[in-house]
Amino acid sequence: MKEKGRQSWREVMARSLSSPQELCRLFGLDLGSTAAAFQLFPALVNPYFLSLIGGPGDAMARQVLPDPRELQDKEGVPDPLAEEKMSPVPHLIHRYPDRVVLLASNRCAIHCRFCNRRRRVGRGHGSTIGPDLSLALEYVRSHQEVSDVLLSGGDPLLLEDEQLESILISLRKIPHVEIIRIGTRVCSALPERITPSVCRMLKKYHPIYMSLHFNHPMELTPQARRACSMLADSGIPLGSQTVLLKQVNDELEVMLELLRGLVAVGVKPYYLFQLDPVLGAAHFRTPVKRGLEIMDELTRRLSLEWVPQYALDLPGGGGKCVLAPKGMGCFPGTDLLY
Ligand SMILES: *Cc1c(COP(=O)(O)O)cnc(C)c1O
């Protein structure tokens, strides 16, 4: 059965720009450095995200166009969170006792130039079938302490509905798996992917939570808002994940507009991530000091209910650590009796 919306997300992806020549012709980039950046991490810009780019150097362009500075990053490493070390079986990361990440797909709607999983994204399987998760699912089955499974990738929503559903069916057969979470960039980078049929399918496997990757208010287009509303209407609690990025969202007003926009479409701000030191992304780095300043101002400009957690992934796989500005949080002084 060909559903109109479903056909169209594949068509959008099929028309993606994915060669150095095409990108250089369109944006007047230097072919030598663009081709060299492709060696580090191939670029992928679908026509939807392309339509959001106003010109080279704007916040949308910076997120997806290769930059010669990627080649000068001397500090970054290929796997900053040591995920490979914490992967007992293929396509699964087990860092915290009660939850695991399943790497359900290697594909994404676009390639973010700051991607911390670029060592896998766009490599290996290039299909909508996805990798073989049998060992990963067996691992979850045999680890009773795992109650929360986070589907990530790549992007799980770059799988066909049937593929995603077969993973959900397998997980729902495991009694100790209580919560399923899906992390995705499609609402902001391929909203066509949120079809009535994928919503109907997801609804069958509640409780499903979703974390939506959004970095800039320009990403909150009418199409993106509609995609969020469709998911919210399907009873899926929506949270957001944002990466703090230099010259993309490291300004208070930009961050406020993004957070307010997310809240207005039913997405609860969840994480603001400090950039991971992945090789090739140093030019996106915003100092923690600046991040804390933004957080401090956010707490005064927004209801605390809408202020995300500012989190940093400790190097070497130490896990997430929440950063808070001085003076935030209350410590009742010793003179306070209660
Ligand atoms: C971020 C992450 C999780 C989920 O963390 P939450 O704080 O529960 O959202 C789980 N496993 C790994 C390896 C992670 O990096």
Side-chain angles (χ1 to χ4, degrees):
M1 203 175 57
K2 285 255 181 292
E3 192 174 309
K4 194 166 142 273
R6 187 172 123 154
Q7 200 183 19
S8 87
W9 72 267
R10 284 196 212 79
E11 283 169 0
V12 174
M13 287 310 291
R15 288 188 286 115
S16 296
L17 295 178
S18 60
S19 83
Q21 287 79 8
E22 285 173 308
L23 285 177
C24 290
R25 198 168 50 235
L26 206 57
F27 292 103
L29 310 176
D30 170 64
L31 186 56
S33 58
T34 301
F38 261 69
Q39 298 289 321
L40 270 179
F41 184 37
L44 182 72
V45 191
N46 71 41
Y48 170 77
F49 205 83
L50 185 69
S51 75
L52 305 183
I53 296 178
D58 77 5
M60 297 299 107
R62 274 178 65 74
Q63 294 189 65
V64 290
L65 297 188
D67 187 303
R69 284 173 292 182
E70 293 174 22
L71 306 163
Q72 289 146 24
D73 182 358
K74 297 284 180 267
E75 290 155 25
V77 294
D79 179 14
L81 311 186
E83 290 183 332
E84 299 298 330
K85 205 176 75 189
M86 300 189 151
S87 178
V89 291
H91 314 298
L92 179 140
I93 307 163
H94 197 180
R95 172 175 298 141
Y96 305 105
D98 62 322
R99 45 215 140 119
V100 297
V101 174
L102 267 191
L103 302 171
S105 164
N106 283 352
R107 294 180 77 213
C108 266
I110 53 173
H111 286 182
C112 301
R113 300 312 293 173
F114 46 87
C115 177
N116 67 4
R117 230 174 252 149
R118 64 177 61 192
R119 66 188 185 281
R120 307 179 63 101
V121 171
R123 305 184 203 266
H125 86 90
S127 72
T128 51
I129 306 290
D132 179 1
L133 296 176
S134 48
L135 288 174
L137 290 166
E138 188 48 46
Y139 183 92
V140 177
R141 241 173 250 127
S142 61
H143 285 74
Q144 295 244 351
E145 70 276 24
V146 174
S147 59
D148 182 352
V149 175
L150 180 51
L151 299 183
S152 182
D155 195 315
L157 279 154
L158 268 279
L159 297 174
E160 298 288 345
D161 292 2
E162 294 75 13
Q163 293 308 127
L164 184 55
E165 181 162 25
S166 83
I167 299 170
L168 297 175
I169 290 172
S170 301
L171 289 172
R172 280 290 171 236
K173 282 186 187 150
I174 306 174
H176 53 269
V177 172
E178 291 165 352
I179 297 158
I180 299 175
R181 292 190 277 173
I182 299 177
T184 183
R185 178 73 146 130
V186 297
C187 290
S188 57
L190 184 66
E192 296 86 344
R193 178 63 186 95
I194 305 303
T195 57
S197 65
V198 84
C199 290
R200 275 195 304 274
M201 185 276 281
L202 291 169
K203 263 173 101 148
K204 294 193 268 172
Y205 304 96
H206 277 318
I208 290 198
Y209 289 72
M210 277 172 94
S211 283
L212 311 180
H213 182 170
F214 273 90
N215 294 327
H216 193 276
M218 287 255 300
E219 295 167 11
L220 280 164
T221 61
Q223 298 96 305
R225 291 167 195 270
R226 183 167 174 272
C228 294
S229 302
M230 287 169 70
L231 292 171
D233 288 347
S234 309
I236 302 173
L238 303 175
S240 68
Q241 304 201 348
T242 298
V243 184
L244 182 60
L245 299 166
K246 192 167 164 185
Q247 287 165 30
V248 174
N249 59 20
D250 61 339
E251 292 293 337
L252 175 68
E253 295 303 328
V254 173
M255 196 60 79
L256 272 173
E257 193 183 339
L258 172 63
L259 295 170
R260 288 189 173 132
L262 287 166
V263 171
V265 291
V267 182
K268 190 171 190 317
Y270 178 33
Y271 274 136
L272 173 64
F273 283 118
Q274 178 66 13
L275 184 82
D276 296 316
V278 67
L279 184 64
H283 59 292
F284 284 110
R285 185 147 222 109
T286 306
V288 169
K289 185 168 173 291
R290 176 76 192 123
L292 289 172
E293 280 167 15
I294 294 173
M295 284 299 294
D296 186 44
E297 299 193 63
L298 287 180
T299 59
R300 271 176 277 130
R301 297 280 299 273
L302 277 180
S303 158
L304 289 183
E305 182 149 12
W306 313 135
V307 177
Q309 303 275 358
Y310 181 31
L312 175 148
D313 257 290
L314 294 168
K320 290 179 189 70
C321 144
V322 172
L323 303 171
K326 263 207 200 102
M328 216 189 117
C330 287
F331 180 76
T334 44
D335 54 334
L336 242 181
L337 294 173
Y338 57 105

